Amino acid sequence: DYVEFGVYRGGSLIFSLQAHSEFMKWLNNQKKSDEEWRKKVSKKSPLNKLPQFHCLDTFDGMPDNNEQEIQFHPQSFTTSLDLVKRKVSKKNSLGIQINFYKGYFKDNGIILKNKLKGRKIVIANIDCDLKESTTDALKIISDFIDIGTIILFDDYNAFKADNKRGQRLAFKEFRSESKFKFEKYFSYHMSGQSFLVVDKK
């Protein structure tokens, strides 16, 4: 499944839906290959089964925080859940089940965990800027990641890439307690950094 913490106006969610749609076109084309092994692998792939998308946000803007950064002040990034749903529905060409969770991450954690029972997270997009929110997100997904999971931190290099603040600090604490090993994967945008789960400790 795909999980996104911090949806805002749905831009990255729509991009992820489009990326998955492109992947499915590629996978289906492999089934028509003149190479027999490609046909067999693509037809048996568990990726033929559609994932679910899980999208968490207050949709009321940033919560109260002590980060002391103007762009992260309370109520910044306010949007409308109905607006996001309308935008996303127009781009959901495959009819993927999209679950929205309105409110603080920690308040919706149990609901999301119940939805994820028996499932694994392929991509976790953590775009919530703040240390506390990132910590909550990582705690929620900890039992559902596995080797091969990609974790995206959209604001990993915010706060001048200070290891004692924001997402860097939250992930540092999470890594020290996690049963998994992580490697840097690719960077993106101005401050984004991804990590790949590569092994167990």
Side-chain angles (χ1 to χ4, degrees):
D1 285 2
Y2 171 89
V3 183
E4 183 166 305
F5 294 89
V7 177
Y8 190 35
R9 294 178 176 173
S12 56
L13 173 56
I14 289 171
F15 178 82
S16 297
L17 284 168
Q18 291 171 331
H20 185 266
S21 179
E22 288 299 313
F23 168 77
M24 291 304 296
K25 288 178 184 177
W26 175 85
L27 184 63
N28 288 328
N29 281 334
Q30 299 305 296
K31 298 172 186 176
K32 304 171 187 175
S33 172
D34 58 359
E35 297 178 87
E36 202 59 36
W37 70 270
R38 289 184 185 274
K39 288 182 180 179
K40 289 181 180 179
V41 171
S42 57
K43 287 178 180 178
K44 291 181 179 179
S45 173
L47 297 174
N48 284 293
K49 184 178 180 181
L50 290 179
Q52 290 186 30
F53 277 46
H54 306 272
C55 312
L56 299 90
D57 202 301
T58 65
F59 299 98
D60 293 323
M62 284 283 178
D64 291 335
N65 66 83
N66 297 314
E67 299 287 6
Q68 299 179 340
E69 291 285 337
I70 189 169
Q71 68 268 35
F72 302 145
H73 69 81
Q75 281 76 57
S76 61
F77 299 100
T78 301
T79 187
S80 160
L81 175 55
D82 288 338
L83 172 65
V84 172
K85 284 182 175 180
R86 287 197 300 272
K87 286 174 62 178
V88 170
S89 66
K90 296 176 183 177
K91 303 295 183 179
N92 188 9
S93 60
L94 296 178
I96 289 172
Q97 180 176 328
I98 303 176
N99 306 294
F100 289 96
Y101 308 77
K102 188 179 188 305
Y104 294 125
F105 302 156
K106 58 187 176 183
D107 293 337
N108 282 307
I110 293 177
I111 299 171
L112 175 57
K113 286 180 179 182
N114 286 334
K115 284 271 190 182
L116 288 170
K117 278 184 180 177
R119 308 176 72 86
K120 290 292 182 181
I121 296 171
V122 176
I123 297 174
N125 183 6
I126 303 180
D127 184 7
C128 52
D129 313 300
L130 308 177
K131 192 270 179 184
E132 183 179 355
S133 299
T134 302
T135 296
D136 290 340
L138 289 168
K139 284 180 180 178
I140 292 168
I141 68 170
S142 61
D143 291 334
F144 303 98
I145 61 175
D146 208 340
I147 296 170
T149 297
I150 298 168
I151 303 179
L152 307 170
F153 294 102
D154 198 69
D155 300 282
Y156 189 76
N157 292 313
F159 307 108
K160 301 177 182 178
D162 186 345
N163 283 318
K164 297 179 181 178
R165 300 180 69 189
Q167 294 197 315
R168 278 178 171 255
L169 178 56
F171 189 49
K172 179 182 178 182
E173 293 174 350
F174 177 75
R175 288 177 78 163
S176 68
E177 299 174 358
S178 176
K179 64 182 180 182
F180 291 106
K181 295 180 181 180
F182 303 84
E183 286 184 1
K184 272 190 174 181
Y185 199 24
F186 57 86
S187 57
Y188 60 101
H189 300 321
M190 291 186 296
S191 59
Q193 178 64 53
S194 66
F195 289 84
L196 185 64
V197 182
V198 295
D199 202 354
K200 291 184 178 180
K201 292 179 180 176

